[in-house]
Amino acid sequence: MRKLITPYAADFGKPNIVIKHFPDTESYVQILRINSLKNEKVIIYHRLYPEPEKRLFELLLILSQVKKETKKIELFVPYLPYARQDKSHRDGEVISADVLCKMLKSYGVKKLITYDCHFLPRPGNFKRCELPIENKSAGKQLLAHAKKYFGKKEFLVISPDQGSSYFVENAQGYALHKKRSRINKHDIKTEVCMVECGICVKDKNICMLDDIIATGGTIIRAMEHLKEKGAKKIIVGATHGVFCGEKIAEKILKGHCDELFITNAILNQNNSIKILKLSEK
Ligand code: R5P
């Protein structure tokens, strides 16, 4: 399998795709030694976040050229953006997850490999809009870090909602329920309201695991809930540190969180967060 690596995935190997930007910010792409790819199996390593629209367009530029040489193309992107709108709740709402999958398929991607994809229920092999997807999970890695952190001390593993409940299954963990209450026609306020199975968290150490931290709202509300119920120490791990907004990681750490750890699925440079390196594709 031949590796094609963009500069945004340089931590997975030496880039052999050049991406530059013209003065007007448009992207320039050159795939080095492209002739050597004739009919070869190829895997493209890329990141689609931050600046997802720009990274996506650059990916289309890459694919448009690579598919002229070979039809055997796999794509590895550790975090898949546009995956969160995976259902239509109102008339006219676009399902961006479907658009993305169709686009990748039509540009020649035979298999997408990603981590803890928001619209997939667990790790494994799936298809969406005919696009084969291998969904890997950083769950075990996050849990191993929590074990190291707590050492001989016991702890409970909890996910803040049902969407990430598979993270805690192998650790006999628990999932909170996230109750959604609409505050007006346009906005949806979400809040965590109960702990499944009536589990007692009083005086317990907690490791909370989620797939994504975006605004931080889910994690912060879940921590408040657990603290109200008497939880002792809480640490928080997530695969994807999207952190959209001002000082989200700081807000989480200033709350009830003793340690915040994420993976390098999205590159973050924040000394107060522990970053775990994803194992090679
Ligand atoms: C939801 O289903 C996910 O598992 C995350 O809990 C959610 O995306 C986190 O978003 P936020 O940080 O904005 O609350």
Side-chain angles (χ1 to χ4, degrees), residues 84 118 160-161 163-164 178 210-219:
R84 296 171 92 202
H118 184 76
D161 61 27
S164 51
K178 190 156 70 176
D210 205 354
D211 53 346
I212 298 174
I213 299 176
T215 62
T218 303
I219 282 290

Side-chain angles (χ1 to χ4, degrees), residues 85-126:
Q85 186 76 46
D86 59 349
K87 292 182 196 79
S88 180
H89 302 283
R90 293 169 235 190
D91 284 351
E93 251 178 15
V94 176
I95 304 174
S96 59
D98 286 351
V99 174
L100 182 63
C101 291
K102 282 181 195 162
M103 196 164 83
L104 295 179
K105 180 153 174 64
S106 71
Y107 267 75
V109 175
K110 292 291 185 301
K111 182 179 171 186
L112 166 70
I113 301 149
T114 191
Y115 269 86
D116 294 308
C117 175
H118 184 76
F119 59 70
L120 295 174
R122 71 191 85 85
N125 290 298
F126 298 87

Side-chain angles (χ1 to χ4, degrees), residues 59-96:
L59 175 62
L60 297 189
L61 296 178
I62 295 165
L63 289 168
S64 68
Q65 197 64 27
V66 175
K67 73 183 177 139
K68 289 180 192 163
E69 302 296 324
T70 178
K71 303 284 171 255
K72 301 164 214 161
I73 307 174
E74 293 189 0
L75 169 69
F76 172 60
V77 287
Y79 170 66
L80 192 69
Y82 285 98
R84 296 171 92 202
Q85 186 76 46
D86 59 349
K87 292 182 196 79
S88 180
H89 302 283
R90 293 169 235 190
D91 284 351
E93 251 178 15
V94 176
I95 304 174
S96 59

Side-chain angles (χ1 to χ4, degrees), residues 4 19 27 68 74-75 86-88 103 110 116 129 142 149 208 238 241 244 252 254 258 261 272:
L4 283 178
I19 300 181
S27 303
K68 289 180 192 163
E74 293 189 0
L75 169 69
D86 59 349
K87 292 182 196 79
S88 180
M103 196 164 83
K110 292 291 185 301
D116 294 308
C129 299
L142 296 170
Y149 179 90
M208 201 146 51
C244 47
I252 294 170
K254 264 191 203 147
D258 287 284
F261 52 107
S272 48

Side-chain angles (χ1 to χ4, degrees), residues 154-170:
E154 286 192 354
F155 63 97
L156 292 175
V157 186
I158 289 181
S159 71
D161 61 27
Q162 294 294 312
S164 51
S165 57
Y166 70 86
F167 272 73
V168 306
E169 275 164 12
N170 294 336

Side-chain angles (χ1 to χ4, degrees), residues 29 45 56 61 67 95-96 126 141 145-146 172 181 192 217 221 233 235 250 253 265:
V29 167
Y45 286 70
L56 269 168
L61 296 178
K67 73 183 177 139
I95 304 174
S96 59
F126 298 87
Q141 236 178 305
H145 178 77
Q172 285 79 50
S181 51
V192 178
R221 277 190 286 276
K233 202 164 206 182
I235 63 169
E250 284 75 7
L253 284 161

Side-chain angles (χ1 to χ4, degrees), residues 8 46-48 50-59:
Y8 306 105
H46 188 41
R47 274 196 176 79
L48 291 173
E51 295 192 285
E53 296 78 17
K54 206 164 175 63
R55 296 296 92 78
L56 269 168
F57 192 70
E58 287 163 355
L59 175 62

